Amino acid sequence: TVWNKCAANLTGYTDEDTMGHNLVQGFITEDFRSSVQEVLDQALQGSETANFEFPLLTKNGARVEVLLNASSRRDVEGRVVGMVGIGQDITARIAQEQEYSRLIDTANAPIFGVDTEGKVTVWNKCAADVTGYTEEDTMGHHLVNEFITEDFRTSVQEVLDRALQGTETANFEFPLITENGARVQVLLNATSRRDAEGRVTGMVGIGQDITARIAQEQEYVRLIDTANAPIFGVDSDGKVTVWNKCAADVTGYQSVDTMGHHLVSEFITEDFRASVQEVLDRALQGTETANFEFPLITKDGRSRVELLLNATSRRDLEGRVTGMVGIGQDITARIAQEQEYVRLIDTANAPIFGVDTKGKVTVWNKCAARLTGYTEEDTMGHHLTSQFITEDFRASVQEVLDRALQGKETANFEFPLVTKDGHSRVEVLLNATSRRDVEGRVVGVVGIGQDITGRIAQEQEYIRLIDTANAPIFGVDTEGKVTVWNRCAADVTGYTADDTMGHHLVSEFITEDFRASVQEVLDRALQGKETANFEFPLITKDGRSRVELLLNATSRR
């Protein structure tokens, strides 16, 4: 009797198509005819129905989902004369709900729901996968009593009760029992479920399976506790929350002695409290510190442990800083060793000096002071090359230092140091070694030298003796080329040092008939086998005579 324009638009049936036709038989899908007829009958008996869902057939054979309020229609005497249905097209809403159901069911997070009595109404595939319980195993069963471990039933029930009262809970951890009796750790967001009027009708829990994460956290705790480095942590108030076994071993304080106590005021020496507090404060603001040295007090009070600390901010799941974890190294022995090295360097009987990246002196030991007359106070912070090296060697010494600052070390480099009196110089044979910090970055150069002033004087004396000896003396290198040719050799042969140096001895200065035997003597000497009293002739420069020599051939090393 009534078919408005909206009904016509939704179904495709016009007013003319429907007026006078049986609603149920002509326009309702077969599977809903009985229930729709029942609603109509109730309305015709005066009992109205609200929010009844059913489908209308469209003219092209599709169906429109309708949410219906069925009201009795009455005449002026109040007699029921028909029914008027006021509906809403909920086709799109139902499609969306089905999409939500599909998303919930296929989500890669466990999702479950309960009604107001705590009985399961939602149990998606992921919940089934992680627990082993299928949807059929759980639907209509009490969640808390049947699927939560006994030790968590009270707290889980409390979360459900709050959600059923409209108060939601985020990031609640609890275990679900699996079908085989194991337990799955879940991080839950519990959300109230409401009907169209906003009334709470249940709870939906969207969870994350954190079983593996908790196992990993426990492994981290174990690794921290058993690490062979002292590790400790504080909360935002500076109170100790982590104190591993190594920290206990090196200080004597056990975990029970430190937990909840203020780190700085109780376990740091007074002279370092301000600087350690500053490091902690920076970490609590998110600024981390690496390689900070400070001492921890030991329980016996008679000693202190020197630590090299990396202070790292500790954060919660939302990334908020909740504390600081310090991973340290016990460098007590290393510092003692460094002090021993300093003592050894300072007391070594070789000159040792060092420079920073700018070439300024940072190390000047007692031997260097004794040799040059410059004290440590005279040199520290001054430029080595420009102030303590003779002008003719400044460029070459600077080159050695520059190479060492690039990581290229130099061995056996000879140069002179200026003495304080200015009248003499000290000849040094230097090994220049790059100096590096704990990250391996070059921070300077250390030069370990030998005072070879006396040796050079001796070598010069040997050269003078060889050159002025009244016997012919010559020498060759490993290729047989002349490297020594004294005055007497020049006098007896007529060849000067300039004529012979760098020339091949055997092929140019030995008569052809003796070349093979002389070469054999030289080869043996180059293998370390010396020869005494070997006779052979040298050619003279005029070519008309030869000089007969009795030779002792000695290896040069």
Side-chain angles (χ1 to χ4, degrees):
T1 57
V2 177
W3 193 265
N4 75 344
K5 286 181 181 179
C6 185
N9 290 336
L10 287 175
T11 64
Y13 290 110
T14 65
D15 190 48
E16 291 76 14
D17 294 330
T18 58
M19 296 300 280
H21 291 266
N22 187 283
L23 174 69
V24 173
Q25 295 302 317
F27 306 104
I28 304 297
T29 60
E30 188 174 355
D31 51 331
F32 271 81
R33 285 175 187 162
S34 296
S35 56
V36 172
Q37 188 64 58
E38 185 179 346
V39 168
L40 298 185
D41 290 344
Q42 282 164 3
L44 291 171
Q45 293 165 17
S47 302
E48 301 181 347
T49 301
N51 297 327
F52 175 68
E53 292 185 19
F54 74 100
L56 279 173
L57 280 175
T58 65
K59 195 168 186 177
N60 62 11
R63 57 194 252 171
V64 177
E65 300 290 338
V66 175
L67 182 66
L68 182 73
N69 287 331
S71 301
S72 305
R73 192 175 187 184
R74 298 174 185 272
D75 61 15
V76 292
E77 280 81 27
R79 293 184 297 247
V80 176
V81 295
M83 184 277 302
V84 174
I86 301 171
Q88 295 178 44
D89 176 10
I90 59 170
T91 309
R93 196 193 78 188
I94 286 179
Q96 189 178 51
E97 287 177 354
Q98 290 170 340
E99 173 66 7
Y100 287 157
S101 294
R102 188 189 67 77
L103 289 173
I104 286 171
D105 199 44
T106 58
N108 64 352
I111 300 175
F112 54 86
V114 296
D115 59 18
T116 55
E117 296 178 355
K119 293 182 178 179
V120 176
T121 56
V122 176
W123 193 266
N124 76 340
K125 288 179 181 176
C126 186
D129 290 341
V130 297
T131 64
Y133 287 110
T134 66
E135 187 178 35
E136 290 75 18
D137 295 330
T138 58
M139 297 298 277
H141 291 263
H142 199 275
L143 175 71
V144 173
N145 293 341
E146 298 188 51
F147 304 106
I148 304 297
T149 60
E150 189 172 356
D151 51 330
F152 271 82
R153 284 177 189 161
T154 301
S155 57
V156 172
Q157 187 63 57
E158 184 180 343
V159 168
L160 298 188
D161 290 343
R162 283 204 301 268
L164 292 172
Q165 292 164 14
T167 304
E168 302 181 347
T169 300
N171 298 326
F172 174 69
E173 291 187 20
F174 74 100
L176 280 172
I177 299 172
T178 65
E179 191 176 32
N180 62 12
R183 53 198 255 169
V184 177
Q185 296 291 338
V186 175
L187 183 67
L188 182 74
N189 287 333
T191 305
S192 306
R193 193 173 189 182
R194 298 176 184 272
D195 61 16
E197 281 76 37
R199 294 182 298 246
V200 175
T201 58
M203 183 280 303
V204 172
I206 301 173
Q208 295 179 44
D209 178 5
I210 57 170
T211 310
R213 196 193 80 189
I214 286 179
Q216 189 177 50
E217 286 176 356
Q218 291 169 340
E219 174 65 6
Y220 288 156
V221 170
R222 189 191 66 79
L223 288 173
I224 286 171
D225 199 44
T226 59
N228 64 353
I231 300 175
F232 55 86
V234 297
D235 60 18
S236 55
D237 294 326
K239 294 182 177 177
V240 176
T241 56
V242 176
W243 192 267
N244 77 339
K245 289 179 181 175
C246 186
D249 291 340
V250 298
T251 64
Y253 288 107
Q254 300 304 309
S255 177
V256 294
D257 298 327
T258 59
M259 298 297 277
H261 291 263
H262 198 272
L263 175 71
V264 173
S265 59
E266 297 187 53
F267 305 105
I268 304 298
T269 60
E270 189 171 357
D271 51 329
F272 271 82
R273 283 177 189 160
S275 58
V276 172
Q277 187 63 55
E278 184 180 347
V279 168
L280 298 189
D281 290 343
R282 282 204 302 266
L284 291 171
Q285 292 163 14
T287 304
E288 303 182 346
T289 301
N291 299 325
F292 174 70
E293 292 187 20
F294 74 102
L296 278 174
I297 297 171
T298 61
K299 192 169 184 177
D300 60 20
R302 295 193 298 272
S303 58
R304 60 194 227 170
V305 179
E306 299 289 339
L307 290 187
L308 183 67
L309 182 75
N310 287 333
T312 304
S313 306
R314 193 173 190 181
R315 298 175 184 272
D316 61 17
L317 291 171
E318 282 76 38
R320 294 181 298 243
V321 176
T322 59
M324 184 281 302
V325 172
I327 301 174
Q329 295 178 44
D330 178 5
I331 57 170
T332 311
R334 197 192 80 187
I335 286 179
Q337 189 177 52
E338 286 176 356
Q339 291 169 341
E340 174 65 7
Y341 287 156
V342 169
R343 189 189 66 77
L344 289 173
I345 286 171
D346 198 44
T347 59
N349 64 354
I352 300 175
F353 55 86
V355 296
D356 59 19
T357 55
K358 295 178 180 177
K360 294 183 177 179
V361 177
T362 55
V363 176
W364 191 266
N365 78 340
K366 288 179 180 175
C367 184
R370 187 170 62 252
L371 289 173
T372 63
Y374 287 108
T375 65
E376 187 179 38
E377 290 75 18
D378 295 330
T379 58
M380 296 297 276
H382 292 266
H383 198 272
L384 176 72
T385 303
S386 59
Q387 294 184 246
F388 305 106
I389 305 296
T390 60
E391 190 172 355
D392 52 330
F393 270 83
R394 283 175 190 162
S396 57
V397 171
Q398 190 61 54
E399 185 180 346
V400 168
L401 297 185
D402 290 343
R403 281 204 303 269
L405 290 171
Q406 293 164 14
K408 300 170 186 174
E409 302 181 347
T410 300
N412 299 325
F413 174 70
E414 293 186 18
F415 74 100
L417 280 172
V418 177
T419 61
K420 192 170 184 177
D421 60 21
H423 304 313
S424 59
R425 59 195 228 170
V426 178
E427 299 290 338
V428 175
L429 182 67
L430 181 74
N431 287 334
T433 304
S434 307
R435 192 175 190 181
R436 298 176 184 272
D437 62 17
V438 290
E439 280 81 32
R441 293 180 298 241
V442 176
V443 295
V445 182
V446 172
I448 301 174
Q450 295 179 43
D451 176 9
I452 57 170
T453 310
R455 196 191 80 187
I456 286 179
Q458 190 177 53
E459 286 177 355
Q460 291 169 341
E461 174 65 10
Y462 288 157
I463 290 169
R464 190 188 64 77
L465 289 173
I466 287 170
D467 199 44
T468 60
N470 62 357
I473 301 173
F474 57 86
V476 297
D477 60 19
T478 55
E479 295 177 355
K481 293 181 179 179
V482 177
T483 55
V484 177
W485 193 266
N486 78 340
R487 290 178 188 176
C488 186
D491 291 342
V492 299
T493 64
Y495 288 108
T496 66
D498 295 334
D499 295 331
T500 58
M501 297 297 277
H503 291 263
H504 198 273
L505 175 71
V506 172
S507 60
E508 297 186 52
F509 305 105
I510 305 296
T511 60
E512 189 172 356
D513 52 330
F514 270 84
R515 283 174 188 164
S517 57
V518 171
Q519 188 64 54
E520 185 180 347
V521 168
L522 298 187
D523 290 342
R524 281 205 303 270
L526 291 172
Q527 294 165 12
K529 301 170 184 174
E530 301 180 349
T531 300
N533 300 324
F534 174 69
E535 293 184 20
F536 75 100
L538 277 173
I539 297 172
T540 62
K541 190 171 184 177
D542 60 18
R544 294 192 299 273
S545 60
R546 60 192 216 172
V547 179
E548 298 291 338
L549 292 184
L550 183 66
L551 180 73
N552 287 330
T554 304
S555 306
R556 193 172 188 184
R557 299 176 184 273

